[in-house]
Amino acid sequence: MKTKAMLELADVNAILDAAQREAEANQWAVTIAVADDSGELLGLRRLDGAAATSAMIGTRKARTAALSGKETRVFEHMINEGRTAFLSVPLEGLLEGGIPVIVDGQPIAAIGVSGVKPEQDARVARAGLAAVA
């Protein structure tokens, strides 16, 4: 039987804190979401000034990255390069800014960020990932 790693509350808070520091250092109003490997929300932080929709989008980016084990930018690029049939898959949040947390080659969680440009969302998510990597 396999055992799997999982985030504890301290890990979730470390991710949220590190991502928030990155966002605030750049004056980016974003929402940061952390999901477990099934895509269920473990933590959410909507910074002052972040749009209401960023909470929904960030959560969906985290869910998609968790379920797929891939960065959501992979899907955005795939669709932008013409594979529009991929829009029919039952996933949401197919925009850059979702980053899986991989341990021993397995996705155990994910971080989703929304509120600024796609590469900036991803930068904030990577800062959160660095807190537990």
Side-chain angles (χ1 to χ4, degrees):
M1 181 178 294
K2 288 185 175 183
T3 58
K4 72 174 189 178
M6 59 179 37
L7 295 180
E8 294 181 334
L9 180 59
D11 301 315
V12 173
N13 286 328
I15 290 168
L16 292 170
D17 291 344
Q20 181 176 347
R21 281 191 299 273
E22 179 68 22
E24 288 177 340
N26 291 285
Q27 298 180 342
W28 294 335
V30 298
T31 295
I32 306 146
V34 180
D36 67 13
D37 61 337
S38 70
E40 294 299 322
L41 198 59
L42 295 172
L44 180 81
R45 196 168 293 172
R46 184 171 149 202
L47 304 187
D48 291 343
T53 55
S54 68
M56 177 182 63
I57 296 167
T59 299
R60 290 179 178 170
K61 287 179 183 183
R63 182 176 193 275
T64 295
L67 292 173
S68 68
K70 297 179 181 179
E71 290 193 29
T72 54
R73 71 183 171 104
V74 169
F75 305 118
E76 182 175 8
H77 289 283
M78 184 187 317
I79 293 163
N80 287 343
E81 290 174 3
R83 190 163 180 213
T84 56
F86 194 79
L87 290 169
S88 67
V89 300
L91 293 172
E92 298 175 327
L94 303 173
L95 304 166
E96 186 171 0
I99 309 281
V101 178
I102 307 289
V103 174
D104 296 328
Q106 298 298 316
I108 66 155
I111 306 157
V113 177
S114 179
V116 286
K117 294 179 182 177
E119 61 277 2
Q120 295 167 335
D121 287 344
R123 180 173 160 183
V124 173
R126 283 191 189 88
L129 178 61
V132 294

